[in-house]
Amino acid sequence: MSLTPNTPGSVRSPAAVNADIRALWTRAGGTLSLAEQERYHQLLVEWATAIQTEITAAAA
């Protein structure tokens, strides 16, 4: 999982972000610490952005 922020304007694929989300939950063993919860929230926002980017690109 990449811990460095993405460069502005770059968007990873939803699959790549989902892989990071799954890895986070696996490492956490099903219970997230406060820091992991924050990272999970960041990943969810990134995933939603990636999904929206794919939808927008498909509609173009």
Side-chain angles (χ1 to χ4, degrees):
M1 171 178 77
S2 172
L3 295 178
T4 57
N6 291 331
T7 56
S10 72
V11 177
R12 296 191 299 156
S13 72
V17 180
N18 189 44
D20 282 355
I21 291 170
R22 289 177 181 270
L24 176 66
W25 277 105
T26 299
R27 280 191 310 277
T31 303
L32 299 177
S33 69
L34 290 177
E36 290 166 331
Q37 288 176 29
E38 183 176 325
R39 180 63 182 148
Y40 177 67
H41 177 74
Q42 292 168 348
L43 287 168
L44 286 180
V45 170
E46 184 181 356
W47 179 83
T49 300
I51 289 290
Q52 186 61 44
T53 299
E54 278 196 356
I55 291 170
T56 302

